[in-house]
mmCIF file with all atom_site columns, all heavy atoms in Angstrom:
data_model
loop_
_atom_site.group_PDB
_atom_site.id
_atom_site.type_symbol
_atom_site.label_atom_id
_atom_site.label_alt_id
_atom_site.label_comp_id
_atom_site.label_asym_id
_atom_site.label_entity_id
_atom_site.label_seq_id
_atom_site.pdbx_PDB_ins_code
_atom_site.Cartn_x
_atom_site.Cartn_y
_atom_site.Cartn_z
_atom_site.occupancy
_atom_site.B_iso_or_equiv
_atom_site.pdbx_formal_charge
_atom_site.auth_seq_id
_atom_site.auth_comp_id
_atom_site.auth_asym_id
_atom_site.auth_atom_id
_atom_site.pdbx_PDB_model_num
ATOM 1   N N   . LEU A 1 1  ? -2.048  -0.188  11.738  1.00 95.00 ? 1  LEU A N   1
ATOM 2   C CA  . LEU A 1 1  ? -0.637  0.056   11.449  1.00 95.00 ? 1  LEU A CA  1
ATOM 3   C C   . LEU A 1 1  ? 0.212   -1.206  11.272  1.00 95.00 ? 1  LEU A C   1
ATOM 4   O O   . LEU A 1 1  ? 1.074   -1.236  10.382  1.00 95.00 ? 1  LEU A O   1
ATOM 5   C CB  . LEU A 1 1  ? -0.029  0.948   12.533  1.00 95.00 ? 1  LEU A CB  1
ATOM 6   C CG  . LEU A 1 1  ? 1.406   1.426   12.266  1.00 95.00 ? 1  LEU A CG  1
ATOM 7   C CD1 . LEU A 1 1  ? 1.458   2.224   10.970  1.00 95.00 ? 1  LEU A CD1 1
ATOM 8   C CD2 . LEU A 1 1  ? 1.921   2.255   13.440  1.00 95.00 ? 1  LEU A CD2 1
ATOM 9   N N   . PRO A 1 2  ? 0.018   -2.268  12.076  1.00 94.00 ? 2  PRO A N   1
ATOM 10  C CA  . PRO A 1 2  ? 0.910   -3.429  11.908  1.00 94.00 ? 2  PRO A CA  1
ATOM 11  C C   . PRO A 1 2  ? 0.920   -3.991  10.491  1.00 94.00 ? 2  PRO A C   1
ATOM 12  O O   . PRO A 1 2  ? 1.988   -4.237  9.920   1.00 94.00 ? 2  PRO A O   1
ATOM 13  C CB  . PRO A 1 2  ? 0.363   -4.437  12.928  1.00 94.00 ? 2  PRO A CB  1
ATOM 14  C CG  . PRO A 1 2  ? -0.244  -3.580  13.992  1.00 94.00 ? 2  PRO A CG  1
ATOM 15  C CD  . PRO A 1 2  ? -0.859  -2.434  13.263  1.00 94.00 ? 2  PRO A CD  1
ATOM 16  N N   . TRP A 1 3  ? -0.268  -4.187  9.914   1.00 93.00 ? 3  TRP A N   1
ATOM 17  C CA  . TRP A 1 3  ? -0.276  -4.736  8.559   1.00 93.00 ? 3  TRP A CA  1
ATOM 18  C C   . TRP A 1 3  ? 0.242   -3.731  7.540   1.00 93.00 ? 3  TRP A C   1
ATOM 19  O O   . TRP A 1 3  ? 0.959   -4.104  6.601   1.00 93.00 ? 3  TRP A O   1
ATOM 20  C CB  . TRP A 1 3  ? -1.683  -5.192  8.154   1.00 93.00 ? 3  TRP A CB  1
ATOM 21  C CG  . TRP A 1 3  ? -1.688  -5.718  6.744   1.00 93.00 ? 3  TRP A CG  1
ATOM 22  C CD1 . TRP A 1 3  ? -1.215  -6.933  6.333   1.00 93.00 ? 3  TRP A CD1 1
ATOM 23  C CD2 . TRP A 1 3  ? -2.101  -5.033  5.569   1.00 93.00 ? 3  TRP A CD2 1
ATOM 24  N NE1 . TRP A 1 3  ? -1.342  -7.056  4.966   1.00 93.00 ? 3  TRP A NE1 1
ATOM 25  C CE2 . TRP A 1 3  ? -1.882  -5.903  4.467   1.00 93.00 ? 3  TRP A CE2 1
ATOM 26  C CE3 . TRP A 1 3  ? -2.656  -3.772  5.337   1.00 93.00 ? 3  TRP A CE3 1
ATOM 27  C CZ2 . TRP A 1 3  ? -2.196  -5.538  3.163   1.00 93.00 ? 3  TRP A CZ2 1
ATOM 28  C CZ3 . TRP A 1 3  ? -2.964  -3.404  4.034   1.00 93.00 ? 3  TRP A CZ3 1
ATOM 29  C CH2 . TRP A 1 3  ? -2.735  -4.278  2.968   1.00 93.00 ? 3  TRP A CH2 1
ATOM 30  N N   . ILE A 1 4  ? -0.124  -2.443  7.699   1.00 93.00 ? 4  ILE A N   1
ATOM 31  C CA  . ILE A 1 4  ? 0.382   -1.424  6.771   1.00 93.00 ? 4  ILE A CA  1
ATOM 32  C C   . ILE A 1 4  ? 1.903   -1.422  6.774   1.00 93.00 ? 4  ILE A C   1
ATOM 33  O O   . ILE A 1 4  ? 2.552   -1.342  5.714   1.00 93.00 ? 4  ILE A O   1
ATOM 34  C CB  . ILE A 1 4  ? -0.151  -0.023  7.149   1.00 93.00 ? 4  ILE A CB  1
ATOM 35  C CG1 . ILE A 1 4  ? -1.668  0.044   6.959   1.00 93.00 ? 4  ILE A CG1 1
ATOM 36  C CG2 . ILE A 1 4  ? 0.541   1.061   6.336   1.00 93.00 ? 4  ILE A CG2 1
ATOM 37  C CD1 . ILE A 1 4  ? -2.115  -0.007  5.519   1.00 93.00 ? 4  ILE A CD1 1
ATOM 38  N N   . ALA A 1 5  ? 2.502   -1.525  7.966   1.00 93.00 ? 5  ALA A N   1
ATOM 39  C CA  . ALA A 1 5  ? 3.964   -1.541  8.054   1.00 93.00 ? 5  ALA A CA  1
ATOM 40  C C   . ALA A 1 5  ? 4.537   -2.779  7.370   1.00 93.00 ? 5  ALA A C   1
ATOM 41  O O   . ALA A 1 5  ? 5.512   -2.699  6.613   1.00 93.00 ? 5  ALA A O   1
ATOM 42  C CB  . ALA A 1 5  ? 4.402   -1.488  9.521   1.00 93.00 ? 5  ALA A CB  1
ATOM 43  N N   . LEU A 1 6  ? 3.913   -3.944  7.612   1.00 92.00 ? 6  LEU A N   1
ATOM 44  C CA  . LEU A 1 6  ? 4.407   -5.189  7.021   1.00 92.00 ? 6  LEU A CA  1
ATOM 45  C C   . LEU A 1 6  ? 4.303   -5.185  5.499   1.00 92.00 ? 6  LEU A C   1
ATOM 46  O O   . LEU A 1 6  ? 5.252   -5.546  4.796   1.00 92.00 ? 6  LEU A O   1
ATOM 47  C CB  . LEU A 1 6  ? 3.634   -6.381  7.593   1.00 92.00 ? 6  LEU A CB  1
ATOM 48  C CG  . LEU A 1 6  ? 4.020   -6.849  8.996   1.00 92.00 ? 6  LEU A CG  1
ATOM 49  C CD1 . LEU A 1 6  ? 3.030   -7.890  9.495   1.00 92.00 ? 6  LEU A CD1 1
ATOM 50  C CD2 . LEU A 1 6  ? 5.436   -7.418  9.002   1.00 92.00 ? 6  LEU A CD2 1
ATOM 51  N N   . ILE A 1 7  ? 3.147   -4.768  4.971   1.00 91.00 ? 7  ILE A N   1
ATOM 52  C CA  . ILE A 1 7  ? 2.975   -4.809  3.521   1.00 91.00 ? 7  ILE A CA  1
ATOM 53  C C   . ILE A 1 7  ? 3.813   -3.730  2.845   1.00 91.00 ? 7  ILE A C   1
ATOM 54  O O   . ILE A 1 7  ? 4.308   -3.927  1.721   1.00 91.00 ? 7  ILE A O   1
ATOM 55  C CB  . ILE A 1 7  ? 1.477   -4.685  3.136   1.00 91.00 ? 7  ILE A CB  1
ATOM 56  C CG1 . ILE A 1 7  ? 1.277   -5.023  1.658   1.00 91.00 ? 7  ILE A CG1 1
ATOM 57  C CG2 . ILE A 1 7  ? 0.937   -3.295  3.422   1.00 91.00 ? 7  ILE A CG2 1
ATOM 58  C CD1 . ILE A 1 7  ? 1.644   -6.420  1.267   1.00 91.00 ? 7  ILE A CD1 1
ATOM 59  N N   . SER A 1 8  ? 4.018   -2.594  3.494   1.00 89.00 ? 8  SER A N   1
ATOM 60  C CA  . SER A 1 8  ? 4.866   -1.550  2.920   1.00 89.00 ? 8  SER A CA  1
ATOM 61  C C   . SER A 1 8  ? 6.307   -2.042  2.818   1.00 89.00 ? 8  SER A C   1
ATOM 62  O O   . SER A 1 8  ? 6.994   -1.808  1.815   1.00 89.00 ? 8  SER A O   1
ATOM 63  C CB  . SER A 1 8  ? 4.796   -0.276  3.760   1.00 89.00 ? 8  SER A CB  1
ATOM 64  O OG  . SER A 1 8  ? 3.481   0.251   3.763   1.00 89.00 ? 8  SER A OG  1
ATOM 65  N N   . TRP A 1 9  ? 6.743   -2.766  3.857   1.00 91.00 ? 9  TRP A N   1
ATOM 66  C CA  . TRP A 1 9  ? 8.093   -3.321  3.836   1.00 91.00 ? 9  TRP A CA  1
ATOM 67  C C   . TRP A 1 9  ? 8.211   -4.423  2.782   1.00 91.00 ? 9  TRP A C   1
ATOM 68  O O   . TRP A 1 9  ? 9.158   -4.443  1.993   1.00 91.00 ? 9  TRP A O   1
ATOM 69  C CB  . TRP A 1 9  ? 8.445   -3.862  5.221   1.00 91.00 ? 9  TRP A CB  1
ATOM 70  C CG  . TRP A 1 9  ? 9.698   -4.688  5.235   1.00 91.00 ? 9  TRP A CG  1
ATOM 71  C CD1 . TRP A 1 9  ? 10.993  -4.242  5.162   1.00 91.00 ? 9  TRP A CD1 1
ATOM 72  C CD2 . TRP A 1 9  ? 9.769   -6.125  5.297   1.00 91.00 ? 9  TRP A CD2 1
ATOM 73  N NE1 . TRP A 1 9  ? 11.869  -5.306  5.186   1.00 91.00 ? 9  TRP A NE1 1
ATOM 74  C CE2 . TRP A 1 9  ? 11.147  -6.473  5.272   1.00 91.00 ? 9  TRP A CE2 1
ATOM 75  C CE3 . TRP A 1 9  ? 8.821   -7.124  5.390   1.00 91.00 ? 9  TRP A CE3 1
ATOM 76  C CZ2 . TRP A 1 9  ? 11.574  -7.790  5.326   1.00 91.00 ? 9  TRP A CZ2 1
ATOM 77  C CZ3 . TRP A 1 9  ? 9.239   -8.445  5.435   1.00 91.00 ? 9  TRP A CZ3 1
ATOM 78  C CH2 . TRP A 1 9  ? 10.599  -8.759  5.410   1.00 91.00 ? 9  TRP A CH2 1
ATOM 79  N N   . LYS A 1 10 ? 7.221   -5.297  2.757   1.00 87.00 ? 10 LYS A N   1
ATOM 80  C CA  . LYS A 1 10 ? 7.290   -6.445  1.848   1.00 87.00 ? 10 LYS A CA  1
ATOM 81  C C   . LYS A 1 10 ? 7.160   -6.022  0.388   1.00 87.00 ? 10 LYS A C   1
ATOM 82  O O   . LYS A 1 10 ? 7.764   -6.629  -0.503  1.00 87.00 ? 10 LYS A O   1
ATOM 83  C CB  . LYS A 1 10 ? 6.194   -7.453  2.204   1.00 87.00 ? 10 LYS A CB  1
ATOM 84  C CG  . LYS A 1 10 ? 6.332   -8.774  1.463   1.00 87.00 ? 10 LYS A CG  1
ATOM 85  C CD  . LYS A 1 10 ? 5.584   -9.879  2.177   1.00 87.00 ? 10 LYS A CD  1
ATOM 86  C CE  . LYS A 1 10 ? 5.915   -11.236 1.562   1.00 87.00 ? 10 LYS A CE  1
ATOM 87  N NZ  . LYS A 1 10 ? 5.347   -12.350 2.321   1.00 87.00 ? 10 LYS A NZ  1
ATOM 88  N N   . SER A 1 11 ? 6.345   -4.989  0.118   1.00 82.00 ? 11 SER A N   1
ATOM 89  C CA  . SER A 1 11 ? 6.110   -4.560  -1.260  1.00 82.00 ? 11 SER A CA  1
ATOM 90  C C   . SER A 1 11 ? 7.032   -3.436  -1.690  1.00 82.00 ? 11 SER A C   1
ATOM 91  O O   . SER A 1 11 ? 6.936   -2.960  -2.826  1.00 82.00 ? 11 SER A O   1
ATOM 92  C CB  . SER A 1 11 ? 4.659   -4.107  -1.427  1.00 82.00 ? 11 SER A CB  1
ATOM 93  O OG  . SER A 1 11 ? 4.412   -2.920  -0.679  1.00 82.00 ? 11 SER A OG  1
ATOM 94  N N   . GLY A 1 12 ? 7.919   -2.996  -0.800  1.00 82.00 ? 12 GLY A N   1
ATOM 95  C CA  . GLY A 1 12 ? 8.805   -1.885  -1.134  1.00 82.00 ? 12 GLY A CA  1
ATOM 96  C C   . GLY A 1 12 ? 8.058   -0.593  -1.385  1.00 82.00 ? 12 GLY A C   1
ATOM 97  O O   . GLY A 1 12 ? 8.482   0.235   -2.200  1.00 82.00 ? 12 GLY A O   1
ATOM 98  N N   . GLY A 1 13 ? 6.943   -0.401  -0.672  1.00 80.00 ? 13 GLY A N   1
ATOM 99  C CA  . GLY A 1 13 ? 6.141   0.811   -0.829  1.00 80.00 ? 13 GLY A CA  1
ATOM 100 C C   . GLY A 1 13 ? 5.122   0.737   -1.950  1.00 80.00 ? 13 GLY A C   1
ATOM 101 O O   . GLY A 1 13 ? 4.349   1.679   -2.153  1.00 80.00 ? 13 GLY A O   1
ATOM 102 N N   . ALA A 1 14 ? 5.081   -0.380  -2.675  1.00 79.00 ? 14 ALA A N   1
ATOM 103 C CA  . ALA A 1 14 ? 4.172   -0.486  -3.822  1.00 79.00 ? 14 ALA A CA  1
ATOM 104 C C   . ALA A 1 14 ? 2.708   -0.492  -3.401  1.00 79.00 ? 14 ALA A C   1
ATOM 105 O O   . ALA A 1 14 ? 1.841   -0.018  -4.141  1.00 79.00 ? 14 ALA A O   1
ATOM 106 C CB  . ALA A 1 14 ? 4.479   -1.754  -4.617  1.00 79.00 ? 14 ALA A CB  1
ATOM 107 N N   . PHE A 1 15 ? 2.415   -1.044  -2.195  1.00 81.00 ? 15 PHE A N   1
ATOM 108 C CA  . PHE A 1 15 ? 1.014   -1.099  -1.772  1.00 81.00 ? 15 PHE A CA  1
ATOM 109 C C   . PHE A 1 15 ? 0.414   0.297   -1.671  1.00 81.00 ? 15 PHE A C   1
ATOM 110 O O   . PHE A 1 15 ? -0.648  0.572   -2.244  1.00 81.00 ? 15 PHE A O   1
ATOM 111 C CB  . PHE A 1 15 ? 0.867   -1.822  -0.428  1.00 81.00 ? 15 PHE A CB  1
ATOM 112 C CG  . PHE A 1 15 ? -0.525  -1.677  0.146   1.00 81.00 ? 15 PHE A CG  1
ATOM 113 C CD1 . PHE A 1 15 ? -1.568  -2.431  -0.366  1.00 81.00 ? 15 PHE A CD1 1
ATOM 114 C CD2 . PHE A 1 15 ? -0.807  -0.760  1.148   1.00 81.00 ? 15 PHE A CD2 1
ATOM 115 C CE1 . PHE A 1 15 ? -2.856  -2.281  0.123   1.00 81.00 ? 15 PHE A CE1 1
ATOM 116 C CE2 . PHE A 1 15 ? -2.087  -0.604  1.644   1.00 81.00 ? 15 PHE A CE2 1
ATOM 117 C CZ  . PHE A 1 15 ? -3.114  -1.371  1.127   1.00 81.00 ? 15 PHE A CZ  1
ATOM 118 N N   . LEU A 1 16 ? 1.055   1.204   -0.937  1.00 76.00 ? 16 LEU A N   1
ATOM 119 C CA  . LEU A 1 16 ? 0.504   2.543   -0.771  1.00 76.00 ? 16 LEU A CA  1
ATOM 120 C C   . LEU A 1 16 ? 0.455   3.278   -2.103  1.00 76.00 ? 16 LEU A C   1
ATOM 121 O O   . LEU A 1 16 ? -0.499  4.025   -2.371  1.00 76.00 ? 16 LEU A O   1
ATOM 122 C CB  . LEU A 1 16 ? 1.342   3.332   0.243   1.00 76.00 ? 16 LEU A CB  1
ATOM 123 C CG  . LEU A 1 16 ? 1.238   2.848   1.693   1.00 76.00 ? 16 LEU A CG  1
ATOM 124 C CD1 . LEU A 1 16 ? 2.186   3.625   2.588   1.00 76.00 ? 16 LEU A CD1 1
ATOM 125 C CD2 . LEU A 1 16 ? -0.194  2.983   2.204   1.00 76.00 ? 16 LEU A CD2 1
ATOM 126 N N   . GLN A 1 17 ? 1.459   3.065   -2.934  1.00 79.00 ? 17 GLN A N   1
ATOM 127 C CA  . GLN A 1 17 ? 1.473   3.725   -4.235  1.00 79.00 ? 17 GLN A CA  1
ATOM 128 C C   . GLN A 1 17 ? 0.298   3.267   -5.093  1.00 79.00 ? 17 GLN A C   1
ATOM 129 O O   . GLN A 1 17 ? -0.366  4.080   -5.740  1.00 79.00 ? 17 GLN A O   1
ATOM 130 C CB  . GLN A 1 17 ? 2.786   3.426   -4.955  1.00 79.00 ? 17 GLN A CB  1
ATOM 131 C CG  . GLN A 1 17 ? 2.909   4.118   -6.314  1.00 79.00 ? 17 GLN A CG  1
ATOM 132 C CD  . GLN A 1 17 ? 4.220   3.777   -7.011  1.00 79.00 ? 17 GLN A CD  1
ATOM 133 O OE1 . GLN A 1 17 ? 5.038   3.030   -6.478  1.00 79.00 ? 17 GLN A OE1 1
ATOM 134 N NE2 . GLN A 1 17 ? 4.415   4.320   -8.185  1.00 79.00 ? 17 GLN A NE2 1
ATOM 135 N N   . GLN A 1 18 ? 0.015   1.960   -5.090  1.00 78.00 ? 18 GLN A N   1
ATOM 136 C CA  . GLN A 1 18 ? -1.063  1.439   -5.923  1.00 78.00 ? 18 GLN A CA  1
ATOM 137 C C   . GLN A 1 18 ? -2.428  1.678   -5.296  1.00 78.00 ? 18 GLN A C   1
ATOM 138 O O   . GLN A 1 18 ? -3.364  2.100   -5.983  1.00 78.00 ? 18 GLN A O   1
ATOM 139 C CB  . GLN A 1 18 ? -0.859  -0.049  -6.174  1.00 78.00 ? 18 GLN A CB  1
ATOM 140 C CG  . GLN A 1 18 ? -1.849  -0.635  -7.167  1.00 78.00 ? 18 GLN A CG  1
ATOM 141 C CD  . GLN A 1 18 ? -1.494  -2.064  -7.566  1.00 78.00 ? 18 GLN A CD  1
ATOM 142 O OE1 . GLN A 1 18 ? -0.347  -2.481  -7.444  1.00 78.00 ? 18 GLN A OE1 1
ATOM 143 N NE2 . GLN A 1 18 ? -2.472  -2.818  -8.037  1.00 78.00 ? 18 GLN A NE2 1
ATOM 144 N N   . ALA A 1 19 ? -2.564  1.412   -3.978  1.00 67.00 ? 19 ALA A N   1
ATOM 145 C CA  . ALA A 1 19 ? -3.872  1.512   -3.327  1.00 67.00 ? 19 ALA A CA  1
ATOM 146 C C   . ALA A 1 19 ? -4.336  2.953   -3.214  1.00 67.00 ? 19 ALA A C   1
ATOM 147 O O   . ALA A 1 19 ? -5.508  3.264   -3.454  1.00 67.00 ? 19 ALA A O   1
ATOM 148 C CB  . ALA A 1 19 ? -3.829  0.873   -1.941  1.00 67.00 ? 19 ALA A CB  1
ATOM 149 N N   . VAL A 1 20 ? -3.417  3.847   -2.829  1.00 67.00 ? 20 VAL A N   1
ATOM 150 C CA  . VAL A 1 20 ? -3.792  5.251   -2.630  1.00 67.00 ? 20 VAL A CA  1
ATOM 151 C C   . VAL A 1 20 ? -3.564  6.066   -3.896  1.00 67.00 ? 20 VAL A C   1
ATOM 152 O O   . VAL A 1 20 ? -4.461  6.740   -4.397  1.00 67.00 ? 20 VAL A O   1
ATOM 153 C CB  . VAL A 1 20 ? -2.993  5.864   -1.451  1.00 67.00 ? 20 VAL A CB  1
ATOM 154 C CG1 . VAL A 1 20 ? -3.361  7.335   -1.269  1.00 67.00 ? 20 VAL A CG1 1
ATOM 155 C CG2 . VAL A 1 20 ? -3.267  5.082   -0.172  1.00 67.00 ? 20 VAL A CG2 1
ATOM 156 N N   . GLY A 1 21 ? -2.335  5.981   -4.440  1.00 54.00 ? 21 GLY A N   1
ATOM 157 C CA  . GLY A 1 21 ? -2.003  6.820   -5.578  1.00 54.00 ? 21 GLY A CA  1
ATOM 158 C C   . GLY A 1 21 ? -2.751  6.468   -6.844  1.00 54.00 ? 21 GLY A C   1
ATOM 159 O O   . GLY A 1 21 ? -3.148  7.347   -7.606  1.00 54.00 ? 21 GLY A O   1
ATOM 160 N N   . LYS A 1 22 ? -2.952  5.176   -7.088  1.00 62.00 ? 22 LYS A N   1
ATOM 161 C CA  . LYS A 1 22 ? -3.584  4.758   -8.340  1.00 62.00 ? 22 LYS A CA  1
ATOM 162 C C   . LYS A 1 22 ? -5.065  4.452   -8.174  1.00 62.00 ? 22 LYS A C   1
ATOM 163 O O   . LYS A 1 22 ? -5.905  5.019   -8.869  1.00 62.00 ? 22 LYS A O   1
ATOM 164 C CB  . LYS A 1 22 ? -2.861  3.520   -8.895  1.00 62.00 ? 22 LYS A CB  1
ATOM 165 C CG  . LYS A 1 22 ? -3.412  3.050   -10.233 1.00 62.00 ? 22 LYS A CG  1
ATOM 166 C CD  . LYS A 1 22 ? -2.645  1.837   -10.743 1.00 62.00 ? 22 LYS A CD  1
ATOM 167 C CE  . LYS A 1 22 ? -3.234  1.332   -12.061 1.00 62.00 ? 22 LYS A CE  1
ATOM 168 N NZ  . LYS A 1 22 ? -2.522  0.125   -12.555 1.00 62.00 ? 22 LYS A NZ  1
ATOM 169 N N   . ASP A 1 23 ? -5.400  3.578   -7.223  1.00 58.00 ? 23 ASP A N   1
ATOM 170 C CA  . ASP A 1 23 ? -6.784  3.115   -7.116  1.00 58.00 ? 23 ASP A CA  1
ATOM 171 C C   . ASP A 1 23 ? -7.699  4.203   -6.561  1.00 58.00 ? 23 ASP A C   1
ATOM 172 O O   . ASP A 1 23 ? -8.670  4.612   -7.210  1.00 58.00 ? 23 ASP A O   1
ATOM 173 C CB  . ASP A 1 23 ? -6.852  1.869   -6.235  1.00 58.00 ? 23 ASP A CB  1
ATOM 174 C CG  . ASP A 1 23 ? -8.240  1.250   -6.210  1.00 58.00 ? 23 ASP A CG  1
ATOM 175 O OD1 . ASP A 1 23 ? -8.680  0.751   -7.257  1.00 58.00 ? 23 ASP A OD1 1
ATOM 176 O OD2 . ASP A 1 23 ? -8.890  1.285   -5.155  1.00 58.00 ? 23 ASP A OD2 1
ATOM 177 N N   . MET A 1 24 ? -7.395  4.725   -5.373  1.00 56.00 ? 24 MET A N   1
ATOM 178 C CA  . MET A 1 24 ? -8.308  5.659   -4.726  1.00 56.00 ? 24 MET A CA  1
ATOM 179 C C   . MET A 1 24 ? -8.300  7.021   -5.411  1.00 56.00 ? 24 MET A C   1
ATOM 180 O O   . MET A 1 24 ? -9.346  7.545   -5.809  1.00 56.00 ? 24 MET A O   1
ATOM 181 C CB  . MET A 1 24 ? -7.947  5.817   -3.248  1.00 56.00 ? 24 MET A CB  1
ATOM 182 C CG  . MET A 1 24 ? -8.954  6.667   -2.474  1.00 56.00 ? 24 MET A CG  1
ATOM 183 S SD  . MET A 1 24 ? -8.563  6.758   -0.717  1.00 56.00 ? 24 MET A SD  1
ATOM 184 C CE  . MET A 1 24 ? -7.128  7.843   -0.758  1.00 56.00 ? 24 MET A CE  1
ATOM 185 N N   . LEU A 1 25 ? -7.109  7.631   -5.565  1.00 56.00 ? 25 LEU A N   1
ATOM 186 C CA  . LEU A 1 25 ? -7.040  8.959   -6.164  1.00 56.00 ? 25 LEU A CA  1
ATOM 187 C C   . LEU A 1 25 ? -7.418  8.923   -7.639  1.00 56.00 ? 25 LEU A C   1
ATOM 188 O O   . LEU A 1 25 ? -7.984  9.883   -8.162  1.00 56.00 ? 25 LEU A O   1
ATOM 189 C CB  . LEU A 1 25 ? -5.637  9.545   -5.984  1.00 56.00 ? 25 LEU A CB  1
ATOM 190 C CG  . LEU A 1 25 ? -5.217  9.813   -4.529  1.00 56.00 ? 25 LEU A CG  1
ATOM 191 C CD1 . LEU A 1 25 ? -3.826  10.424  -4.476  1.00 56.00 ? 25 LEU A CD1 1
ATOM 192 C CD2 . LEU A 1 25 ? -6.227  10.731  -3.841  1.00 56.00 ? 25 LEU A CD2 1
ATOM 193 N N   . GLY A 1 26 ? -7.131  7.802   -8.307  1.00 54.00 ? 26 GLY A N   1
ATOM 194 C CA  . GLY A 1 26 ? -7.538  7.675   -9.703  1.00 54.00 ? 26 GLY A CA  1
ATOM 195 C C   . GLY A 1 26 ? -9.048  7.703   -9.863  1.00 54.00 ? 26 GLY A C   1
ATOM 196 O O   . GLY A 1 26 ? -9.579  8.306   -10.796 1.00 54.00 ? 26 GLY A O   1
ATOM 197 N N   . LYS A 1 27 ? -9.755  7.055   -8.955  1.00 56.00 ? 27 LYS A N   1
ATOM 198 C CA  . LYS A 1 27 ? -11.218 7.056   -9.023  1.00 56.00 ? 27 LYS A CA  1
ATOM 199 C C   . LYS A 1 27 ? -11.794 8.433   -8.728  1.00 56.00 ? 27 LYS A C   1
ATOM 200 O O   . LYS A 1 27 ? -12.829 8.818   -9.268  1.00 56.00 ? 27 LYS A O   1
ATOM 201 C CB  . LYS A 1 27 ? -11.785 6.030   -8.037  1.00 56.00 ? 27 LYS A CB  1
ATOM 202 C CG  . LYS A 1 27 ? -11.534 4.587   -8.450  1.00 56.00 ? 27 LYS A CG  1
ATOM 203 C CD  . LYS A 1 27 ? -12.046 3.617   -7.408  1.00 56.00 ? 27 LYS A CD  1
ATOM 204 C CE  . LYS A 1 27 ? -11.778 2.182   -7.850  1.00 56.00 ? 27 LYS A CE  1
ATOM 205 N NZ  . LYS A 1 27 ? -12.222 1.204   -6.840  1.00 56.00 ? 27 LYS A NZ  1
#
């Protein structure tokens, strides 16, 4: 959780959108 929280804040939510929404679900 600590890194997920930090990267979500720093990327404005882009990390979860790209990693989960695009990369994982896309595959």
Side-chain angles (χ1 to χ4, degrees):
L1 187 59
W3 178 76
I4 294 291
L6 282 171
I7 192 62
S8 297
W9 169 75
K10 189 159 189 173
S11 67
F15 170 77
L16 291 176
Q17 182 181 0
Q18 187 171 338
V20 179
K22 183 179 178 182
D23 186 67
M24 186 177 73
L25 295 181
K27 290 177 180 178

